[in-house]
Amino acid sequence: MDYNLDVTHLLAGSTLMVSFVLLYQTRMYGILNAFAMQAVILAMAVAWQSRVQHAPHLMVTAFLALTVKAGVIPWVLRIIIRKLGIQRNIETVVGIGTTLLVAVFLTMLAILIVVPMTSAHAAATRQDLAFALAVILLGILMMITRHNAISQIVGFMSLENGLILAATGAKGMPLVVEISVAFSVLIAFLVFGIFLFRIRERFDSVDITALERFRKERLEGRYSHGESLIQPVIPAMDPVRREPT
Amino acid sequence: MILPETALITPAMALQSLLIIPGIAAILLLLIPSFRLGAWLNVLATALTFMMGLYLFFTPHFIAGLLFVDAFNVYLIALNTFVGMTTSIFSATYIAHELERGHLTPKHLRFYHAMYQALLFAMNLALSSNNIGLMWVGLEMATVTTVVMVGIYRTPEAVEAAWKYFILGSVGIALAFFGTILIYLVAQPVVGEGMAAMTWTRLVADSGNMDPKLLSLAFVFLLVGFGTKVGLAPLHAWLPDAHAEGPTPISAVLSGLLLNVALYAILRFKMILAGNPESLSPGPILMFMGLLSLLFAGFMLYQRKDIKRLFAYSSIEHMGIITFAFGMGGALANFAGLLHMTMHSLTKSAIFFAVGHVTQAKGTKDMDAIHGLSESHPALAWGLALGVIAIAGLPPFGIFASEFILVTTTFAREPLLAVILVVGLLVAFGALLLRLQELLFGEPDGTSRPLEASLMPLFVHLALILWAGLHLPENLGIWFARVADLLG
């Protein structure tokens, strides 16, 4: 049936489209909303695969995506953002326009690599895989082009979305792996959480450049080696640039 | 040698206990509030695991569910559990003094010991699983646990190192997972759906019928992904920071064990490709990355100020040599690679033990502030000197033997590459001896405390590499030769 393929396409394509949306967000909450949207679409895509492949266990993965990735994680991150007062604009390394151009290029690359290489497989599998690789590459791009620790986390989780899309698109791949992927997201998130806490403790900022700036100053000899940091390098928050909540 | 079947435990039980012992120990250690008790329970658990690893070394190979033992992984399991044990002994005497100095709190130590066992669990899982998915889970867990331990001192440097390691490590592990999915896809039409298409033994047996193009693509993702964890240039950026900022026992385990486990994963996938002549041949890529790592790290060694960073770069250098050896392939080069893997693991962890003593005795990692160890701490100076002489590749230690075999076989097959290899080795050799001389001689300066941690693990490792260099046990030689054949 042809419309099976169409729906698979639509959902995988939408996941990729949200990856583009993630790249041009300039506000923290905007990033979280876009990520939650991607997780919802991913859940739908996985649920659809579960129906097409007659693989009921995939519903577990879909459920995890819907509850954890679209619900719990954005909610917790929102709390962190509010507590730290960092709703402000996100500083990017390169301009948004350039980033999007690179993103288009990466998507083309993904399709050009995967589609010809997988000629032995069904069309749905091949195109799903191409979309998934594009989502993975855009996730990496987001991690590279953002300074902010929370945006990097979201970039990483978006990358994991791509992995789940690829894993569920591969027909009959055993459940062990899917659960482990979901698990690893949780573990990764825990670790991220610990790190956020520590970064906050030491620098009063979750901007990664604060870490780098500290390092530079240390090399220039402003802080002696091993001495604990008494003054935060960056002021806690800049009230002028804070968004009204 | 085959043990009698009447033994108390069956081989399958021994294999499972490689996972069960560290698993239970991790939970117990998390619950035990006393860090002294925790440290010794840590030693006990690693000793038990080592006994199981040793037992497996002398049993015939078998497959048990999702786990298996073959000639290749059993030798790494034995090595891993052994270094895991000696490092835990070193750690037990070392880490208490970190507490006294106020670097850590008892709560941190509890966490540290639990994570140490979790790391051993993850590495044993990666080594012993007969399933590419499970192996990936093992390496993923190993990354998470080491990230936490690298950041445990919570200094700004430690947080930065851990963050960098985490970001690079997770991107690497994600790419490797994509490669794993591709391997499943390429195997599925040949082997059939489900578990079979993720099982090592099936994948290697049926690789000849797989689609060569997709297989090659999968390998590229796996190489970049796991290559990040091996620390091959240009994917090494996380490695020096992570080694320098974490607790020294963790640096020893990272360099001595985790890098090997990641390389093991790459070599396993290389075995699949070896069975499919039409696919990309991984040799030249591995040789290129190996030589690049060797040269790059060799030159970087000259500018290091931090003693732990120095030996971290030396690890990049040696992983480069090992990767080069396996990339060249063939019985002799593979033999040299396996021997080098073992010797580097033992030597580098010994050096990190010594470095741990040095940093505790002098209170700094800055090499400009460490002089005259031969006067202030003669026993330690001997240990460090012997370790560095061994890692620089001088006889009579084991690394000399493996480097000698590698250089001669390279000269016979690829003379041009052999020249580059020798240049790289000499560059690194010069840097290490230069640094060693500065550390050992001159006027002792700065603070100097007596040694507190035990020197025993250091000298046990040194004795082993000396023994292997003077006279490689015949059994071990035959063993390595068999695995070398397996690698193709």
Side-chain angles (χ1 to χ4, degrees):
Chain A
M1 282 226 286
D2 259 339
Y3 91 103
N4 267 355
L5 185 63
D6 288 340
V7 176
T8 308
H9 258 161
L10 177 70
L11 291 171
S14 309
T15 315
L16 176 59
M17 227 171 63
V18 183
S19 282
F20 277 93
V21 174
L22 274 171
L23 282 173
Y24 67 72
Q25 295 304 313
T26 50
R27 307 262 159 174
M28 276 304 193
Y29 287 154
I31 283 197
L32 290 187
N33 290 339
F35 173 73
M37 190 158 78
Q38 189 175 45
V40 171
I41 297 172
L42 177 77
M44 282 158 64
V46 175
W48 181 255
Q49 286 294 339
S50 155
R51 189 180 161 266
V52 173
Q53 296 178 16
H54 306 292
H57 61 264
L58 286 184
M59 286 308 284
V60 177
T61 313
F63 179 75
L64 280 178
L66 193 64
T67 51
V68 178
K69 289 177 128 184
V72 177
I73 290 179
W75 177 64
V76 172
L77 284 178
R78 203 173 281 264
I79 293 174
I80 292 176
I81 290 172
R82 198 168 52 232
K83 283 222 168 122
L84 302 188
I86 44 162
Q87 296 92 333
R88 63 192 162 91
N89 292 356
I90 296 158
E91 286 167 37
T92 50
V93 184
V94 281
I96 299 246
T98 325
T99 312
L100 284 177
L101 268 179
V102 176
V104 171
F105 172 75
L106 287 176
T107 310
M108 272 163 45
L109 191 75
I111 293 169
L112 287 178
I113 289 176
V114 171
V115 174
M117 290 260 190
T118 48
S119 42
H121 291 269
T125 309
R126 301 166 64 184
Q127 286 150 6
D128 229 25
L129 206 63
F131 282 131
L133 180 58
V135 172
I136 292 169
L137 293 177
L138 295 200
I140 296 177
L141 181 66
M142 182 164 169
M143 290 171 85
I144 296 169
T145 56
R146 300 301 169 98
H147 276 318
N148 180 289
I150 289 186
S151 329
Q152 290 190 339
I153 293 172
V154 175
F156 179 66
M157 290 192 300
S158 160
L159 186 162
E160 294 251 26
N161 283 348
L163 287 175
I164 292 191
L165 194 67
T168 50
K171 199 165 177 295
M173 194 151 160
L175 180 71
V176 185
V177 181
E178 285 135 25
I179 288 187
S180 68
V181 169
F183 237 95
S184 68
V185 173
L186 284 176
I187 296 171
F189 187 75
L190 262 172
V191 178
F192 272 130
I194 294 167
F195 273 107
L196 281 176
F197 187 62
R198 287 184 183 170
I199 292 171
R200 165 75 182 169
E201 226 176 25
R202 291 281 168 180
F203 298 93
D204 281 322
S205 161
V206 277
D207 194 333
I208 293 297
T209 38
L211 290 174
E212 278 153 20
R213 220 166 299 172
F214 165 77
R215 195 173 148 80
K216 216 172 281 163
E217 279 163 4
R218 192 190 78 218
L219 291 178
E220 283 159 9
R222 274 225 237 155
Y223 300 99
S224 63
H225 186 82
E227 197 177 297
S228 73
L229 195 65
I230 301 156
Q231 289 288 316
V233 180
I234 299 193
M237 45 197 102
D238 188 355
V240 184
R241 290 169 69 194
R242 215 196 297 178
E243 227 174 45
T245 37
Chain B
M1 187 171 84
I2 292 170
L3 294 184
E5 277 291 318
T6 50
L8 270 174
I9 47 168
T10 63
M13 275 162 67
L15 187 57
Q16 284 152 3
S17 56
L18 284 182
L19 304 178
I20 295 170
I21 297 172
I24 294 177
I27 298 167
L28 278 180
L29 286 168
L30 210 55
L31 298 175
I32 293 178
S34 156
F35 70 89
R36 277 179 212 286
L37 188 63
W40 292 109
L41 184 68
N42 195 29
V43 173
L44 180 71
T46 51
L48 279 176
T49 319
F50 172 58
M51 277 160 62
M52 295 300 160
L54 203 63
Y55 174 72
L56 285 174
F57 198 77
F58 293 110
T59 50
H61 307 145
F62 63 96
I63 300 174
L66 290 171
L67 305 178
F68 80 138
V69 170
D70 75 352
F72 187 19
N73 72 3
V74 79
Y75 116 87
L76 280 175
I77 289 174
L79 178 67
N80 243 31
T81 49
F82 175 71
V83 178
M85 178 180 73
T86 49
T87 308
S88 76
I89 297 172
F90 168 68
S91 163
T93 59
Y94 171 91
I95 208 80
H97 301 291
E98 296 293 288
L99 198 72
E100 281 166 19
R101 309 261 158 81
H103 293 164
L104 293 171
T105 65
K107 223 164 123 192
H108 285 144
L109 272 190
R110 213 159 113 188
F111 191 60
Y112 163 86
H113 285 129
M115 281 296 132
Y116 188 85
Q117 289 296 330
L119 173 63
L120 291 183
F121 171 89
M123 289 194 295
N124 286 343
L125 179 67
L127 286 175
S128 63
S129 73
N130 189 15
N131 179 293
I132 52 174
L134 267 187
M135 188 189 69
W136 181 83
V137 172
L139 275 162
E140 202 266 349
M141 266 188 72
T143 310
V144 170
T145 49
T146 41
V147 163
V148 176
M149 284 197 280
V150 166
I152 205 165
Y153 285 139
R154 299 158 69 114
T155 58
E157 296 97 330
V159 171
E160 194 212 348
W163 183 263
K164 198 170 172 187
Y165 176 31
F166 189 50
I167 292 289
L168 288 171
S170 14
V171 170
I173 221 81
L175 291 177
F177 185 69
F178 193 72
T180 309
I181 296 171
L182 289 180
I183 290 278
Y184 171 78
L185 275 178
V186 76
Q188 180 209 23
V190 182
V191 188
E193 265 176 35
M195 275 309 179
M198 300 190 84
T199 305
W200 280 123
T201 37
R202 297 291 302 272
L203 289 172
V204 174
D206 286 336
S207 66
N209 304 321
M210 292 177 193
D211 176 17
K213 271 192 299 183
L214 191 54
L215 196 58
S216 314
L217 182 67
F219 185 75
V220 171
F221 277 98
L222 290 163
L223 179 64
V224 174
F226 289 134
T228 311
K229 297 238 35 146
V230 182
L232 293 175
L235 309 166
H236 66 277
W238 63 272
L239 194 147
D241 287 349
H243 278 69
E245 304 306 339
T248 308
I250 297 312
S251 314
V253 183
L254 265 178
S255 255
L257 305 180
L258 192 54
L259 304 184
N260 275 358
V261 177
L263 189 62
Y264 163 83
I266 295 182
L267 293 176
R268 279 273 175 208
F269 286 108
K270 181 175 173 276
M271 280 160 72
I272 300 182
L273 262 78
N276 190 320
E278 281 168 59
S279 65
L280 145 145
S281 86
I285 313 174
L286 290 178
M287 281 155 83
F288 173 75
M289 287 178 97
L291 282 182
L292 187 69
S293 308
L294 167 63
L295 283 176
F296 168 80
F299 283 108
M300 291 301 274
L301 283 175
Y302 284 89
Q303 298 161 17
R304 296 308 106 196
K305 295 261 177 278
D306 180 318
I307 186 164
K308 286 172 82 177
R309 222 168 268 267
L310 175 81
F311 291 111
Y313 275 100
S314 156
S315 290
I316 300 179
E317 177 219 334
H318 283 277
M319 291 324 276
I321 296 171
I322 299 167
T323 309
F324 174 80
F326 288 121
M328 196 152 73
L332 268 180
N334 280 340
F335 182 91
L338 290 168
L339 185 62
H340 202 96
M341 230 167 155
T342 317
M343 291 304 130
H344 172 250
S345 180
L346 291 170
T347 317
K348 191 50 68 63
S349 40
I351 287 181
F352 273 113
F353 299 159
V355 167
H357 292 302
V358 172
T359 51
Q360 271 193 345
K362 305 295 281 186
T364 176
K365 295 186 295 179
D366 185 357
M367 282 192 284
D368 289 342
I370 306 172
H371 296 293
L373 281 177
S374 59
E375 266 178 58
S376 56
H377 305 87
L380 172 61
W382 270 106
L384 183 68
L386 292 176
V388 175
I389 285 170
I391 206 82
L394 281 178
F397 293 99
I399 284 192
F400 170 74
S402 55
E403 283 182 358
F404 182 77
I405 300 172
L406 181 64
V407 168
T408 47
T409 169
T410 314
F411 262 114
R413 290 169 58 190
E414 305 274 357
L416 212 63
L417 292 182
V419 174
I420 306 177
L421 178 69
V422 170
V423 168
L425 288 175
L426 288 177
V427 167
F429 174 84
L432 285 171
L433 287 201
L434 202 71
R435 285 292 175 203
L436 178 67
Q437 175 251 329
E438 285 170 14
L439 290 174
L440 293 187
F441 306 115
E443 280 295 304
D445 53 2
T447 52
S448 183
R449 299 189 196 88
L451 291 183
E452 286 147 335
S454 159
L455 280 168
M456 190 269 285
L458 167 64
F459 283 102
V460 168
H461 278 209
L462 288 175
L464 278 176
I465 53 175
L466 180 64
W467 182 39
L470 291 176
H471 171 74
L472 188 68
E474 203 178 339
N475 284 343
L476 214 58
I478 297 170
W479 187 275
F480 279 149
R482 263 173 60 198
V483 184
D485 279 342
L486 214 85
L487 285 168

